[in-house]
């Protein structure tokens, strides 16, 4: 883990969302679960024997695809139906699943038949809710725009910020396309308000929905780039 006690976990055969693990005194928090074609729960249980809270920042396959593997399944209430009844459009499999694979995870895997496994969330989140690990507390940030239920997490004591899908870049490179264009509930103006909110937080370390940990300065540069292009 890094100096904030956070590990990055990756499904090495995919380009899915980043997976972040935070071990608290009483529980562990898993921030996003990537595509879910690997037995991520079994792997996490080799790292810790504490109960695992699995949180999805958005109901997309590359962030919530493995959520069904866990007993505690958290997502914002506005994306809950994406988890209950996923399809290739609502989970954005239809948009870019093929591009997310670096290699087949096993010989019998058929990308054409991949489907996100639905599940019932065990806790529906709202803005300002707290995920309590015993000695660490993460505040839920509702960050609509990409979807109406996109959200992140912020630990005010340390300044640790998980942006989830609300702000996505890889090594500082901004996506070329409109960021809020993949879902029926996407909202351009809400997206701009959400990233402005992220930029105003007193973050000390930023853990994005894709790619490695970044500095607050890089995050603010990315936000400025988005706002310059899409305002």
């Amino acid at each position: 883990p890094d100096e904030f006690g956070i590990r990055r976990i990756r499904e090495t055969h995919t380009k899915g969302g980043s997976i972040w693990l935070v071990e608290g005194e009483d529980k562990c928090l898993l921030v996003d679960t990537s595509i879910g074609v690997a037995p991520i729960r079994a792997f996490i249980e080799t790292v810790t024997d504490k109960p695992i809270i699995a949180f999805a920042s958005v109901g997309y396959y590359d962030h919530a695809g493995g959520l069904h593997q866990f007993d505690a399944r958290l997502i914002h209430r506005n994306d809950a139906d994406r988890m209950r009844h996923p399809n290739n459009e609502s989970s954005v499999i239809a948009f870019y699943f093929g591009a997310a694979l670096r290699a087949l995870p096993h010989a019998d895997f058929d990308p054409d038949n991949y489907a996100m496994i639905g599940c019932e969330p065990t806790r529906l989140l709202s803005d300002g809710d707290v995920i309590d690990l015993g000695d660490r507390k993460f505040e839920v940030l509702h960050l609509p725009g990409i979807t109406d239920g996109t959200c992140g997490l912020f630990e005010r004591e340390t300044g640790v910020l998980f942006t989830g899908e609300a702000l996505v870049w890889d090594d500082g490179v901004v996506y070329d396309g409109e960021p809020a264009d993949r879902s029926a509930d996407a909202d351009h103006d809400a997206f701009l308000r959400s990233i402005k909110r992220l930029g105003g937080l007193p973050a000390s370390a930023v853990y994005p929905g894709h790619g490695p940990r970044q500095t607050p300065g890089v995050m603010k540069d990315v936000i400025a780039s988005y706002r310059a292009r899409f305002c």
Side-chain angles (χ1 to χ4, degrees):
D2 65 13
E3 69 269 30
F4 293 101
I6 297 171
R7 294 180 172 91
R8 184 185 180 196
I9 298 166
R10 284 175 282 184
E11 285 184 301
T12 55
H13 49 278
T14 78
K15 294 174 63 179
S18 292
I19 305 168
W20 304 104
L21 179 66
V22 186
E23 187 166 1
E25 182 179 33
D26 299 331
K27 299 176 182 178
C28 284
L29 172 63
L30 192 67
V31 180
D32 286 333
T33 64
S34 197
I35 294 173
V37 295
I40 185 169
R41 176 175 177 171
F43 173 77
I44 299 298
E45 289 175 344
T46 69
V47 177
T48 179
D49 58 1
K50 295 175 182 174
I52 302 165
I53 299 172
F55 160 84
S57 66
V58 67
Y60 284 178
Y61 82 94
D62 54 336
H63 294 265
L67 200 67
H68 68 278
Q69 299 180 25
F70 296 90
D71 297 328
R73 304 178 295 276
L74 281 58
I75 195 166
H76 191 276
R77 61 183 62 253
N78 293 350
D79 263 21
D81 279 346
R82 281 187 163 86
M83 289 308 310
R84 295 184 181 111
H85 310 293
N87 59 56
N88 284 0
E89 285 70 39
S90 68
S91 66
V92 300
I93 290 171
F95 284 86
Y96 53 81
F97 176 71
L101 288 179
R102 299 180 187 273
L104 296 182
H106 53 79
D108 297 328
F109 184 78
D110 182 358
D112 292 335
N113 289 325
Y114 170 81
M116 183 169 147
I117 298 175
C119 61
E120 181 66 32
T122 60
R123 181 182 174 188
L124 300 180
L125 301 172
S126 298
D127 190 67
D129 285 351
V130 173
I131 300 173
D132 189 346
L133 306 184
D135 58 337
R136 306 187 68 168
K137 294 178 174 59
F138 291 86
E139 177 186 344
V140 175
L141 307 172
H142 184 207
L143 302 167
I146 301 296
T147 70
D148 195 36
T150 303
C151 55
L153 299 175
F154 186 52
E155 186 178 37
R156 293 194 177 272
E157 184 174 345
T158 63
V160 165
L161 173 62
F162 295 101
T163 70
E165 187 78 347
L167 194 63
V168 171
W169 69 94
D170 193 356
D171 294 329
V173 177
V174 182
Y175 277 176
D176 290 333
E178 161 64 64
D181 64 353
R182 300 184 298 273
S183 298
D185 56 344
D187 185 324
H188 175 86
D189 292 337
F191 171 78
L192 292 176
R193 289 192 296 271
S194 291
I195 62 174
K196 181 179 180 180
R197 181 184 184 186
L198 287 172
L201 292 170
S204 56
V206 181
Y207 300 83
H210 291 265
R213 169 181 159 180
Q214 299 285 359
T215 67
V218 169
M219 177 181 71
K220 290 179 180 180
D221 288 345
V222 171
I223 289 171
S225 177
Y226 270 130
R227 290 176 62 83
R229 292 166 55 196
F230 298 118
C231 279

